[in-house]
Amino acid sequence: MTPPNHLVLAPWYSPIVDLARHRGVTFHIATSRQHASLHLHLPDGSLLAITDDGVGGATARKPSGTTGWKAIRTLPTGHRTALYDSTLLGRYHHLGTDPDPLLGVLARYLPPPPAMPDPRTRRSHLLRRLLRLT
C-alpha cells in the first residue's frame, strides 16, 4: 500500500494533468478509502473533481481496472453538478475510458491557454535588457 504522502495517479490521468498544466490550473490528489481523484482548482473558485471507477466490482474485470470517468463541478456555494460520466451506469458509458471526450468537456471550464508572446517582441525585450547592462 502506498503511504498517503506518496500518492501517485494512475498513468491514464496523464492527459488530464497535462491539460491542467498547459492551462495554468492548480490541482491536487484527493483520496477517500482506496480511491484517488484529481481536483482541479479553477480561477472562479469552483472545483472540478475527476475520478475513475477503478475500485472493485465489475471494474475488476477490465485490464486497467477502470471502465470510465466521472467529472463533477462544485461551486463555491457547495452546489454540485455532474459534467461527465462514462462509467458503467453513466450517460456516456459507451465512450468508456477514452480521455478525449472528457478533455473536451474539461476544456470548456478551464481558462484559455496562456498567449504565446511574439518571438520578435521577446527578442527586443532581451536586447533592451542587454543594453541596460552595458
Side-chain angles (χ1 to χ4, degrees):
M1 187 166 139
T2 306
N5 58 347
H6 296 320
L7 293 172
V8 177
L9 283 172
W12 50 87
Y13 279 89
S14 295
I16 302 166
V17 170
D18 292 344
L19 177 66
R21 284 185 177 139
H22 178 68
R23 299 286 183 98
V25 174
T26 59
F27 57 88
H28 77 274
I29 302 170
T31 59
S32 62
R33 297 188 195 163
Q34 298 172 337
H35 196 62
S37 61
L38 179 66
H39 288 193
L40 306 177
H41 301 272
L42 302 182
D44 66 358
S46 63
L47 181 77
L48 286 178
I50 297 99
T51 186
D52 61 57
D53 64 344
V55 178
T59 61
R61 289 176 264 170
K62 296 290 283 185
S64 67
T66 185
T67 61
W69 297 102
K70 282 186 181 182
I72 298 172
R73 181 179 184 206
T74 305
L75 297 175
T77 61
H79 180 74
R80 294 170 47 119
T81 305
L83 302 178
Y84 185 83
D85 188 352
S86 67
T87 61
L88 287 176
L89 300 176
R91 180 177 179 191
Y92 302 106
H93 70 275
H94 61 283
L95 298 172
T97 57
D98 182 10
D100 291 336
L102 173 64
L103 294 174
V105 170
L106 295 178
R108 286 185 253 157
Y109 293 92
L110 299 178
M116 296 300 292
D118 181 23
R120 288 181 280 169
T121 305
R122 286 194 314 226
R123 279 183 268 165
S124 67
H125 289 295
L126 177 62
L127 182 60
R128 278 191 221 129
R129 284 189 300 208
L130 288 172
L131 290 173
R132 280 190 214 139
L133 293 174
T134 58

